[in-house]
Amino acid sequence: MYFNSVNARSVADTEDSALVLPNSTKQLSTARLHQALDRILQSSEAKTTRRTRDQLWKRYQTWASSRALNSNDDKTAMLFALQHAQKASSKTTYFNNLRARLHPRDTTAQFLTGLRRIAAAEGIDHAPVTTWATFRCILLPKLPPSTQAIVILAYRTASRMSDMAMLRRNNITLTNDNKIVIHWTNTKTSDQNPYKGQFYTEVAPPLPEATTSMPEHMLVMQYLHSLLPHAQVCPQSEPSKIASELEKIGLSWHSIKRSAITAAASRAARSNIPLEVVARLAKHASTESTIRYIGHPPTVASLLQTGSLTQLC
């Protein structure tokens, strides 16, 4: 095997057993599918939240019954919160927890929330991390020069397959000092606001001491110079070709993006570059997504620069 997986938080390690689902739901019976659905719906609330709300709801119903009040009435819940909580913030928490039981969200919202929590727990193990040396030594020699240029550009810009497939030559500016400037206008979120910082990437030429990287950079420059203005940078036949070669070495297209982000994060941590810059390279709207991709707590903590404050204590 040619890669080193970065250990992400496994589903089994999460506090909520409701998050544990079968590895595949394709072959499940109808009854088992219903069980899986129930687990997802339960997962829309954290285990501790669900336990707290259940306990509070029992207390509330007992209290309402003892006073002959309608426990399904919002005003009754307000009265309970007023009597049982001292501070205004606590009264708010009580009422919000009761309201969650009085007016539960519709099943669709619970289903989507549950799936998001499960996805967050699963991590992104489908995209194993490796080094650029692996791509350079094992993948690139199997590809023609034009396809090599696509892989190199995808790695240096931390791009997924869909980003490269939508990229056109007229979105790229080649400068006289051999820089590649890209305006990503066809990503998943750029249609909503094309002027956000994460949609602009500058690929600078390697430092003079990076003797093996300069030929790769110039290969990309030559390839881009050869394209017509409206040509696709990554033609339709290329993604499947690249994916097939990646699969042979236990990687995926997404491994290119994740490996690039991991390497960029390490360089940023060493050079005191903020996490936000890594997120912009990754074309992420938030640093939370970038942290999930990095999957290495020491690197993340270093990027967040909290050490500079704790050192003062």
Side-chain angles (χ1 to χ4, degrees), residues 17-22 24-25 27-44 111 115 118:
S17 60
L19 293 179
V20 181
L21 292 175
S24 173
T25 55
Q27 305 299 325
L28 294 183
S29 65
T30 302
R32 290 293 305 282
L33 280 173
H34 276 291
Q35 291 176 2
L37 176 59
D38 288 341
R39 290 178 182 177
I40 293 172
L41 296 179
Q42 289 176 13
S43 298
S44 62
F111 181 68
L115 284 178
I118 292 171

PDB file of all heavy atoms in Angstrom, residues 17-22 24-25 27-44 111 115 118:
ATOM      1  N   SER A  17     -24.440   6.194  20.536  1.00  0.00           N
ATOM      2  CA  SER A  17     -24.524   4.916  19.833  1.00  0.00           C
ATOM      3  C   SER A  17     -25.510   4.972  18.686  1.00  0.00           C
ATOM      4  O   SER A  17     -25.479   4.144  17.780  1.00  0.00           O
ATOM      5  CB  SER A  17     -24.938   3.802  20.801  1.00  0.00           C
ATOM      6  OG  SER A  17     -26.204   4.092  21.376  1.00  0.00           O
ATOM      7  N   ALA A  18     -26.413   5.955  18.704  1.00  0.00           N
ATOM      8  CA  ALA A  18     -27.382   6.081  17.611  1.00  0.00           C
ATOM      9  C   ALA A  18     -26.693   6.433  16.305  1.00  0.00           C
ATOM     10  O   ALA A  18     -27.275   6.280  15.237  1.00  0.00           O
ATOM     11  CB  ALA A  18     -28.419   7.151  17.950  1.00  0.00           C
ATOM     12  N   LEU A  19     -25.435   6.887  16.386  1.00  0.00           N
ATOM     13  CA  LEU A  19     -24.730   7.240  15.172  1.00  0.00           C
ATOM     14  C   LEU A  19     -24.198   6.029  14.432  1.00  0.00           C
ATOM     15  O   LEU A  19     -23.790   6.129  13.295  1.00  0.00           O
ATOM     16  CB  LEU A  19     -23.559   8.171  15.495  1.00  0.00           C
ATOM     17  CG  LEU A  19     -23.913   9.565  16.005  1.00  0.00           C
ATOM     18  CD1 LEU A  19     -22.643  10.340  16.303  1.00  0.00           C
ATOM     19  CD2 LEU A  19     -24.756  10.311  15.002  1.00  0.00           C
ATOM     20  N   VAL A  20     -24.158   4.881  15.076  1.00  0.00           N
ATOM     21  CA  VAL A  20     -23.577   3.695  14.470  1.00  0.00           C
ATOM     22  C   VAL A  20     -24.586   3.067  13.520  1.00  0.00           C
ATOM     23  O   VAL A  20     -25.622   2.566  13.933  1.00  0.00           O
ATOM     24  CB  VAL A  20     -23.139   2.668  15.535  1.00  0.00           C
ATOM     25  CG1 VAL A  20     -22.506   1.461  14.876  1.00  0.00           C
ATOM     26  CG2 VAL A  20     -22.184   3.315  16.523  1.00  0.00           C
ATOM     27  N   LEU A  21     -24.264   3.098  12.234  1.00  0.00           N
ATOM     28  CA  LEU A  21     -25.130   2.525  11.207  1.00  0.00           C
ATOM     29  C   LEU A  21     -24.387   1.422  10.480  1.00  0.00           C
ATOM     30  O   LEU A  21     -23.154   1.366  10.499  1.00  0.00           O
ATOM     31  CB  LEU A  21     -25.552   3.614  10.205  1.00  0.00           C
ATOM     32  CG  LEU A  21     -26.480   4.701  10.737  1.00  0.00           C
ATOM     33  CD1 LEU A  21     -26.697   5.752   9.656  1.00  0.00           C
ATOM     34  CD2 LEU A  21     -27.812   4.118  11.164  1.00  0.00           C
ATOM     35  N   PRO A  22     -25.101   0.519   9.798  1.00  0.00           N
ATOM     36  CA  PRO A  22     -24.429  -0.513   9.016  1.00  0.00           C
ATOM     37  C   PRO A  22     -23.519   0.117   7.969  1.00  0.00           C
ATOM     38  O   PRO A  22     -23.794   1.217   7.467  1.00  0.00           O
ATOM     39  CB  PRO A  22     -25.597  -1.262   8.357  1.00  0.00           C
ATOM     40  CG  PRO A  22     -26.784  -0.966   9.207  1.00  0.00           C
ATOM     41  CD  PRO A  22     -26.565   0.413   9.740  1.00  0.00           C
ATOM     42  N   SER A  24     -23.107  -0.728   4.977  1.00  0.00           N
ATOM     43  CA  SER A  24     -23.845  -0.611   3.727  1.00  0.00           C
ATOM     44  C   SER A  24     -25.315  -0.886   3.985  1.00  0.00           C
ATOM     45  O   SER A  24     -25.667  -1.804   4.713  1.00  0.00           O
ATOM     46  CB  SER A  24     -23.311  -1.612   2.691  1.00  0.00           C
ATOM     47  OG  SER A  24     -24.132  -1.596   1.538  1.00  0.00           O
ATOM     48  N   THR A  25     -26.179  -0.053   3.417  1.00  0.00           N
ATOM     49  CA  THR A  25     -27.621  -0.259   3.587  1.00  0.00           C
ATOM     50  C   THR A  25     -28.246  -0.844   2.323  1.00  0.00           C
ATOM     51  O   THR A  25     -29.457  -0.967   2.241  1.00  0.00           O
ATOM     52  CB  THR A  25     -28.314   1.079   3.918  1.00  0.00           C
ATOM     53  OG1 THR A  25     -27.987   2.037   2.903  1.00  0.00           O
ATOM     54  CG2 THR A  25     -27.864   1.605   5.270  1.00  0.00           C
ATOM     55  N   GLN A  27     -28.224  -3.915   1.063  1.00  0.00           N
ATOM     56  CA  GLN A  27     -28.786  -5.262   1.140  1.00  0.00           C
ATOM     57  C   GLN A  27     -29.695  -5.460   2.348  1.00  0.00           C
ATOM     58  O   GLN A  27     -30.063  -6.593   2.664  1.00  0.00           O
ATOM     59  CB  GLN A  27     -27.643  -6.295   1.178  1.00  0.00           C
ATOM     60  CG  GLN A  27     -26.656  -6.195   0.027  1.00  0.00           C
ATOM     61  CD  GLN A  27     -27.326  -6.413  -1.316  1.00  0.00           C
ATOM     62  OE1 GLN A  27     -28.250  -7.216  -1.437  1.00  0.00           O
ATOM     63  NE2 GLN A  27     -26.870  -5.698  -2.328  1.00  0.00           N
ATOM     64  N   LEU A  28     -30.073  -4.394   3.035  1.00  0.00           N
ATOM     65  CA  LEU A  28     -30.881  -4.542   4.239  1.00  0.00           C
ATOM     66  C   LEU A  28     -32.330  -4.830   3.903  1.00  0.00           C
ATOM     67  O   LEU A  28     -32.869  -4.352   2.907  1.00  0.00           O
ATOM     68  CB  LEU A  28     -30.806  -3.266   5.089  1.00  0.00           C
ATOM     69  CG  LEU A  28     -29.455  -2.917   5.701  1.00  0.00           C
ATOM     70  CD1 LEU A  28     -29.585  -1.684   6.570  1.00  0.00           C
ATOM     71  CD2 LEU A  28     -28.912  -4.078   6.526  1.00  0.00           C
ATOM     72  N   SER A  29     -32.970  -5.607   4.785  1.00  0.00           N
ATOM     73  CA  SER A  29     -34.404  -5.854   4.642  1.00  0.00           C
ATOM     74  C   SER A  29     -35.164  -4.580   4.983  1.00  0.00           C
ATOM     75  O   SER A  29     -34.610  -3.628   5.540  1.00  0.00           O
ATOM     76  CB  SER A  29     -34.829  -6.982   5.583  1.00  0.00           C
ATOM     77  OG  SER A  29     -34.660  -6.579   6.931  1.00  0.00           O
ATOM     78  N   THR A  30     -36.458  -4.585   4.693  1.00  0.00           N
ATOM     79  CA  THR A  30     -37.275  -3.409   4.995  1.00  0.00           C
ATOM     80  C   THR A  30     -37.268  -3.116   6.494  1.00  0.00           C
ATOM     81  O   THR A  30     -37.166  -1.955   6.914  1.00  0.00           O
ATOM     82  CB  THR A  30     -38.722  -3.629   4.515  1.00  0.00           C
ATOM     83  OG1 THR A  30     -38.703  -3.896   3.107  1.00  0.00           O
ATOM     84  CG2 THR A  30     -39.574  -2.396   4.783  1.00  0.00           C
ATOM     85  N   ALA A  31     -37.346  -4.173   7.307  1.00  0.00           N
ATOM     86  CA  ALA A  31     -37.346  -3.986   8.762  1.00  0.00           C
ATOM     87  C   ALA A  31     -36.037  -3.349   9.229  1.00  0.00           C
ATOM     88  O   ALA A  31     -36.032  -2.434  10.065  1.00  0.00           O
ATOM     89  CB  ALA A  31     -37.554  -5.325   9.464  1.00  0.00           C
ATOM     90  N   ARG A  32     -34.912  -3.826   8.691  1.00  0.00           N
ATOM     91  CA  ARG A  32     -33.615  -3.266   9.078  1.00  0.00           C
ATOM     92  C   ARG A  32     -33.469  -1.833   8.584  1.00  0.00           C
ATOM     93  O   ARG A  32     -32.839  -0.994   9.237  1.00  0.00           O
ATOM     94  CB  ARG A  32     -32.480  -4.137   8.523  1.00  0.00           C
ATOM     95  CG  ARG A  32     -32.340  -5.510   9.174  1.00  0.00           C
ATOM     96  CD  ARG A  32     -31.887  -5.398  10.630  1.00  0.00           C
ATOM     97  NE  ARG A  32     -30.661  -4.633  10.788  1.00  0.00           N
ATOM     98  CZ  ARG A  32     -29.435  -5.097  10.540  1.00  0.00           C
ATOM     99  NH1 ARG A  32     -29.271  -6.345  10.114  1.00  0.00           N
ATOM    100  NH2 ARG A  32     -28.379  -4.339  10.715  1.00  0.00           N
ATOM    101  N   LEU A  33     -34.033  -1.541   7.421  1.00  0.00           N
ATOM    102  CA  LEU A  33     -33.987  -0.171   6.919  1.00  0.00           C
ATOM    103  C   LEU A  33     -34.747   0.768   7.848  1.00  0.00           C
ATOM    104  O   LEU A  33     -34.307   1.897   8.109  1.00  0.00           O
ATOM    105  CB  LEU A  33     -34.577  -0.096   5.503  1.00  0.00           C
ATOM    106  CG  LEU A  33     -33.654  -0.537   4.361  1.00  0.00           C
ATOM    107  CD1 LEU A  33     -34.433  -0.583   3.051  1.00  0.00           C
ATOM    108  CD2 LEU A  33     -32.471   0.410   4.224  1.00  0.00           C
ATOM    109  N   HIS A  34     -35.885   0.288   8.365  1.00  0.00           N
ATOM    110  CA  HIS A  34     -36.652   1.095   9.315  1.00  0.00           C
ATOM    111  C   HIS A  34     -35.847   1.324  10.594  1.00  0.00           C
ATOM    112  O   HIS A  34     -35.891   2.416  11.181  1.00  0.00           O
ATOM    113  CB  HIS A  34     -37.988   0.418   9.635  1.00  0.00           C
ATOM    114  CG  HIS A  34     -39.060   0.707   8.624  1.00  0.00           C
ATOM    115  ND1 HIS A  34     -39.626   1.943   8.488  1.00  0.00           N
ATOM    116  CD2 HIS A  34     -39.659  -0.088   7.697  1.00  0.00           C
ATOM    117  CE1 HIS A  34     -40.539   1.919   7.514  1.00  0.00           C
ATOM    118  NE2 HIS A  34     -40.567   0.701   7.022  1.00  0.00           N
ATOM    119  N   GLN A  35     -35.097   0.294  11.025  1.00  0.00           N
ATOM    120  CA  GLN A  35     -34.252   0.452  12.207  1.00  0.00           C
ATOM    121  C   GLN A  35     -33.158   1.493  11.956  1.00  0.00           C
ATOM    122  O   GLN A  35     -32.869   2.332  12.817  1.00  0.00           O
ATOM    123  CB  GLN A  35     -33.618  -0.890  12.583  1.00  0.00           C
ATOM    124  CG  GLN A  35     -34.608  -1.917  13.124  1.00  0.00           C
ATOM    125  CD  GLN A  35     -33.947  -3.260  13.388  1.00  0.00           C
ATOM    126  OE1 GLN A  35     -32.732  -3.417  13.201  1.00  0.00           O
ATOM    127  NE2 GLN A  35     -34.722  -4.234  13.815  1.00  0.00           N
ATOM    128  N   ALA A  36     -32.570   1.435  10.766  1.00  0.00           N
ATOM    129  CA  ALA A  36     -31.536   2.412  10.414  1.00  0.00           C
ATOM    130  C   ALA A  36     -32.119   3.823  10.378  1.00  0.00           C
ATOM    131  O   ALA A  36     -31.494   4.786  10.838  1.00  0.00           O
ATOM    132  CB  ALA A  36     -30.915   2.062   9.060  1.00  0.00           C
ATOM    133  N   LEU A  37     -33.328   3.941   9.841  1.00  0.00           N
ATOM    134  CA  LEU A  37     -33.982   5.246   9.799  1.00  0.00           C
ATOM    135  C   LEU A  37     -34.246   5.775  11.205  1.00  0.00           C
ATOM    136  O   LEU A  37     -34.031   6.962  11.485  1.00  0.00           O
ATOM    137  CB  LEU A  37     -35.298   5.145   9.016  1.00  0.00           C
ATOM    138  CG  LEU A  37     -36.162   6.415   8.963  1.00  0.00           C
ATOM    139  CD1 LEU A  37     -35.390   7.563   8.324  1.00  0.00           C
ATOM    140  CD2 LEU A  37     -37.459   6.152   8.198  1.00  0.00           C
ATOM    141  N   ASP A  38     -34.700   4.885  12.095  1.00  0.00           N
ATOM    142  CA  ASP A  38     -34.946   5.309  13.479  1.00  0.00           C
ATOM    143  C   ASP A  38     -33.672   5.837  14.123  1.00  0.00           C
ATOM    144  O   ASP A  38     -33.686   6.826  14.868  1.00  0.00           O
ATOM    145  CB  ASP A  38     -35.506   4.139  14.303  1.00  0.00           C
ATOM    146  CG  ASP A  38     -36.946   3.800  13.931  1.00  0.00           C
ATOM    147  OD1 ASP A  38     -37.615   4.665  13.321  1.00  0.00           O
ATOM    148  OD2 ASP A  38     -37.393   2.683  14.245  1.00  0.00           O
ATOM    149  N   ARG A  39     -32.548   5.177  13.848  1.00  0.00           N
ATOM    150  CA  ARG A  39     -31.270   5.615  14.410  1.00  0.00           C
ATOM    151  C   ARG A  39     -30.895   7.000  13.884  1.00  0.00           C
ATOM    152  O   ARG A  39     -30.373   7.837  14.626  1.00  0.00           O
ATOM    153  CB  ARG A  39     -30.171   4.613  14.071  1.00  0.00           C
ATOM    154  CG  ARG A  39     -30.307   3.284  14.792  1.00  0.00           C
ATOM    155  CD  ARG A  39     -29.207   2.342  14.374  1.00  0.00           C
ATOM    156  NE  ARG A  39     -29.330   1.049  15.019  1.00  0.00           N
ATOM    157  CZ  ARG A  39     -28.528   0.027  14.790  1.00  0.00           C
ATOM    158  NH1 ARG A  39     -27.533   0.159  13.929  1.00  0.00           N
ATOM    159  NH2 ARG A  39     -28.697  -1.128  15.409  1.00  0.00           N
ATOM    160  N   ILE A  40     -31.133   7.219  12.607  1.00  0.00           N
ATOM    161  CA  ILE A  40     -30.818   8.522  12.017  1.00  0.00           C
ATOM    162  C   ILE A  40     -31.676   9.610  12.654  1.00  0.00           C
ATOM    163  O   ILE A  40     -31.188  10.684  13.004  1.00  0.00           O
ATOM    164  CB  ILE A  40     -31.026   8.491  10.493  1.00  0.00           C
ATOM    165  CG1 ILE A  40     -29.991   7.572   9.836  1.00  0.00           C
ATOM    166  CG2 ILE A  40     -30.918   9.898   9.901  1.00  0.00           C
ATOM    167  CD1 ILE A  40     -30.233   7.326   8.365  1.00  0.00           C
ATOM    168  N   LEU A  41     -32.979   9.326  12.829  1.00  0.00           N
ATOM    169  CA  LEU A  41     -33.873  10.313  13.425  1.00  0.00           C
ATOM    170  C   LEU A  41     -33.467  10.605  14.869  1.00  0.00           C
ATOM    171  O   LEU A  41     -33.502  11.758  15.315  1.00  0.00           O
ATOM    172  CB  LEU A  41     -35.322   9.820  13.365  1.00  0.00           C
ATOM    173  CG  LEU A  41     -35.910   9.649  11.952  1.00  0.00           C
ATOM    174  CD1 LEU A  41     -37.338   9.122  12.028  1.00  0.00           C
ATOM    175  CD2 LEU A  41     -35.879  10.965  11.193  1.00  0.00           C
ATOM    176  N   GLN A  42     -33.061   9.572  15.605  1.00  0.00           N
ATOM    177  CA  GLN A  42     -32.585   9.769  16.976  1.00  0.00           C
ATOM    178  C   GLN A  42     -31.319  10.623  16.988  1.00  0.00           C
ATOM    179  O   GLN A  42     -31.086  11.404  17.911  1.00  0.00           O
ATOM    180  CB  GLN A  42     -32.288   8.420  17.636  1.00  0.00           C
ATOM    181  CG  GLN A  42     -33.523   7.594  17.960  1.00  0.00           C
ATOM    182  CD  GLN A  42     -33.138   6.235  18.525  1.00  0.00           C
ATOM    183  OE1 GLN A  42     -31.997   6.012  18.886  1.00  0.00           O
ATOM    184  NE2 GLN A  42     -34.090   5.326  18.575  1.00  0.00           N
ATOM    185  N   SER A  43     -30.510  10.477  15.946  1.00  0.00           N
ATOM    186  CA  SER A  43     -29.235  11.185  15.891  1.00  0.00           C
ATOM    187  C   SER A  43     -29.394  12.677  15.642  1.00  0.00           C
ATOM    188  O   SER A  43     -28.419  13.417  15.705  1.00  0.00           O
ATOM    189  CB  SER A  43     -28.353  10.589  14.785  1.00  0.00           C
ATOM    190  OG  SER A  43     -28.066   9.229  15.061  1.00  0.00           O
ATOM    191  N   SER A  44     -30.615  13.120  15.349  1.00  0.00           N
ATOM    192  CA  SER A  44     -30.823  14.553  15.143  1.00  0.00           C
ATOM    193  C   SER A  44     -30.600  15.330  16.440  1.00  0.00           C
ATOM    194  O   SER A  44     -30.424  16.548  16.419  1.00  0.00           O
ATOM    195  CB  SER A  44     -32.231  14.826  14.592  1.00  0.00           C
ATOM    196  OG  SER A  44     -33.222  14.412  15.516  1.00  0.00           O
ATOM    197  N   PHE A 111     -34.326  14.004   9.825  1.00  0.00           N
ATOM    198  CA  PHE A 111     -33.568  13.087   8.965  1.00  0.00           C
ATOM    199  C   PHE A 111     -32.295  13.769   8.456  1.00  0.00           C
ATOM    200  O   PHE A 111     -31.193  13.207   8.533  1.00  0.00           O
ATOM    201  CB  PHE A 111     -34.439  12.647   7.794  1.00  0.00           C
ATOM    202  CG  PHE A 111     -33.785  11.675   6.856  1.00  0.00           C
ATOM    203  CD1 PHE A 111     -33.492  10.375   7.259  1.00  0.00           C
ATOM    204  CD2 PHE A 111     -33.467  12.044   5.556  1.00  0.00           C
ATOM    205  CE1 PHE A 111     -32.894   9.478   6.391  1.00  0.00           C
ATOM    206  CE2 PHE A 111     -32.871  11.150   4.681  1.00  0.00           C
ATOM    207  CZ  PHE A 111     -32.584   9.861   5.094  1.00  0.00           C
ATOM    208  N   LEU A 115     -28.405  12.834   9.488  1.00  0.00           N
ATOM    209  CA  LEU A 115     -27.410  12.447   8.492  1.00  0.00           C
ATOM    210  C   LEU A 115     -26.170  13.343   8.575  1.00  0.00           C
ATOM    211  O   LEU A 115     -25.047  12.870   8.427  1.00  0.00           O
ATOM    212  CB  LEU A 115     -28.005  12.528   7.088  1.00  0.00           C
ATOM    213  CG  LEU A 115     -28.973  11.398   6.689  1.00  0.00           C
ATOM    214  CD1 LEU A 115     -29.524  11.639   5.290  1.00  0.00           C
ATOM    215  CD2 LEU A 115     -28.266  10.036   6.739  1.00  0.00           C
ATOM    216  N   ILE A 118     -24.074  12.195  11.469  1.00  0.00           N
ATOM    217  CA  ILE A 118     -23.398  10.938  11.151  1.00  0.00           C
ATOM    218  C   ILE A 118     -22.232  11.195  10.205  1.00  0.00           C
ATOM    219  O   ILE A 118     -21.139  10.647  10.364  1.00  0.00           O
ATOM    220  CB  ILE A 118     -24.392   9.938  10.537  1.00  0.00           C
ATOM    221  CG1 ILE A 118     -25.406   9.498  11.610  1.00  0.00           C
ATOM    222  CG2 ILE A 118     -23.664   8.719   9.981  1.00  0.00           C
ATOM    223  CD1 ILE A 118     -26.561   8.695  11.066  1.00  0.00           C
TER     224      ILE A 118
END
